Amino acid sequence: MMRARIVIAIVLCIVIVLLPVITNILENYVTSTPRQYTQPSTTTFIASGGEVRFTGCGESHEGADTLIVCPSEIFVSEAGIIVRVNITVKFKHAQPCPYSDWEISVGTPSNAEIVNESKTELVDPYTAVKYFYIRIQGNGTVTVVYEYGSGCPYGAEEGVAVKYYVVESVSSVALEQTTSLTESTTSAYKVFEGIPNVSLESKSLQINGTSIEVRGSWVCNGEELKWRDVLTELSQLPPPTKVVVEAVYEEGVWKATKIEFNNTTCVRGEG
């Protein structure tokens, strides 16, 4: 029994002595292990009656962390088209850290306007994400900035500029492929108008045969509602009441962002 206790004590001492080394090895493994991202490619699709083409991701890695913005270039066939831009920050050190007042911000675009901007979300200790939708009116740029926390010794600021253009023919634009390994996702935008066919079971409504998901929290004329409340109210509209729905195409489905009916305006929240 005494020998067993001595062995256990020796093992514990070795673990305690090696704990800083083990922690450092694990941290390096987590931060260096590649995540499963999709190689970005030049993509063309139809949005709001026009054509959109985007390519690549912009990256900034002046300090310890990395700012990634996708896409880095956008081409649209007409003014007024809305495109989604995704932002990712990869931290060298796990969050929260002693310099936790870091911030991701989107600058004022030229010849365009930001129509919707998400909050910054920490999806894991080493990754923060954010996105925004931009309505492109002409050629210009918008700059995304990531500021390190106050007093952080590992960096001050990372910045990436997204360029966009209005061109006559997007398919004729020659674009260079990038080698970034960061996921690039963009979205089409469309306005639907018609008599809704509501389905609470599928959390959606149909307009002229197109299914549109209604998810999360909503604000209708200043009142906070859940998706079920919005769909229930829509299902009780007397025929032939028409609704106007603004939606974005994400992950293979249309998702409602704004619904208007009978002098009521509902806007999707963050939930």
Side-chain angles (χ1 to χ4, degrees):
M1 179 65 72
M2 180 62 68
R3 179 176 298 178
R5 290 179 180 176
I6 293 174
V7 171
I8 293 173
I10 293 173
V11 171
L12 287 175
C13 288
I14 293 173
V15 170
I16 293 173
V17 170
L18 294 179
L19 186 58
V21 177
I22 295 172
T23 302
N24 187 57
I25 292 173
L26 289 175
E27 179 176 320
N28 289 335
Y29 173 79
V30 171
T31 56
S32 62
T33 300
R35 299 175 185 274
Q36 299 301 312
Y37 291 121
T38 302
Q39 177 77 17
S41 60
T42 301
T43 302
T44 305
F45 61 92
I46 304 300
S48 303
E51 194 176 25
V52 175
R53 201 175 195 190
F54 69 91
T55 186
C57 298
E59 297 189 11
S60 178
H61 184 51
E62 298 295 327
D65 302 336
T66 303
L67 169 65
I68 308 156
V69 183
C70 304
S72 60
E73 283 191 304
I74 306 166
F75 298 83
V76 297
S77 61
E78 62 182 49
I81 290 179
I82 296 177
V83 176
R84 169 167 162 160
V85 177
N86 291 316
I87 306 167
T88 303
V89 171
K90 303 298 296 180
F91 300 103
K92 173 66 175 178
H93 306 100
Q95 302 298 316
C97 71
Y99 318 100
S100 58
D101 61 338
W102 52 266
E103 183 180 13
I104 303 172
S105 61
V106 181
T108 301
S110 56
N111 292 323
E113 63 173 320
I114 306 299
V115 295
N116 190 15
E117 183 177 342
S118 77
K119 295 180 180 179
T120 298
E121 179 185 358
L122 193 65
V123 296
D124 64 51
Y126 294 92
T127 310
V129 296
K130 182 183 177 73
Y131 66 83
F132 64 92
Y133 290 94
I134 184 169
R135 179 183 282 115
I136 299 170
Q137 303 292 2
N139 297 350
T141 61
V142 60
T143 300
V144 176
V145 174
Y146 160 67
E147 296 180 74
Y148 290 75
S150 301
C152 179
Y154 303 108
E157 182 178 288
E158 308 289 349
V160 171
V162 178
K163 300 178 181 179
Y164 43 85
Y165 312 88
V166 178
V167 296
E168 291 185 2
S169 175
V170 256
S171 57
S172 65
V173 176
L175 302 177
E176 293 183 359
Q177 292 283 41
T178 66
T179 57
S180 169
L181 293 179
T182 306
E183 182 179 14
S184 177
T185 308
T186 190
S187 303
Y189 166 89
K190 191 173 182 179
V191 178
F192 299 87
E193 182 173 0
I195 300 173
N197 182 11
V198 176
S199 171
L200 290 175
E201 183 177 351
S202 62
K203 302 180 182 179
S204 66
L205 57 86
Q206 277 196 351
I207 296 180
N208 300 326
T210 300
S211 180
I212 308 167
E213 290 188 355
V214 179
R215 301 294 184 100
S217 60
W218 290 75
V219 178
C220 299
N221 287 0
E223 181 183 0
E224 294 186 4
L225 299 174
K226 298 296 184 182
W227 65 268
R228 183 179 295 274
D229 303 320
V230 175
L231 286 178
T232 299
E233 191 165 348
L234 291 174
S235 68
Q236 296 172 352
L237 292 176
T241 303
K242 291 186 177 181
V243 301
V244 177
V245 180
E246 295 183 14
V248 294
Y249 195 75
E250 299 176 342
E251 301 170 346
V253 297
W254 287 102
K255 298 182 181 181
T257 59
K258 185 178 180 180
I259 304 174
E260 296 180 315
F261 59 94
N262 287 353
N263 298 319
T264 298
T265 299
C266 298
V267 179
R268 188 175 71 186
E270 296 297 331

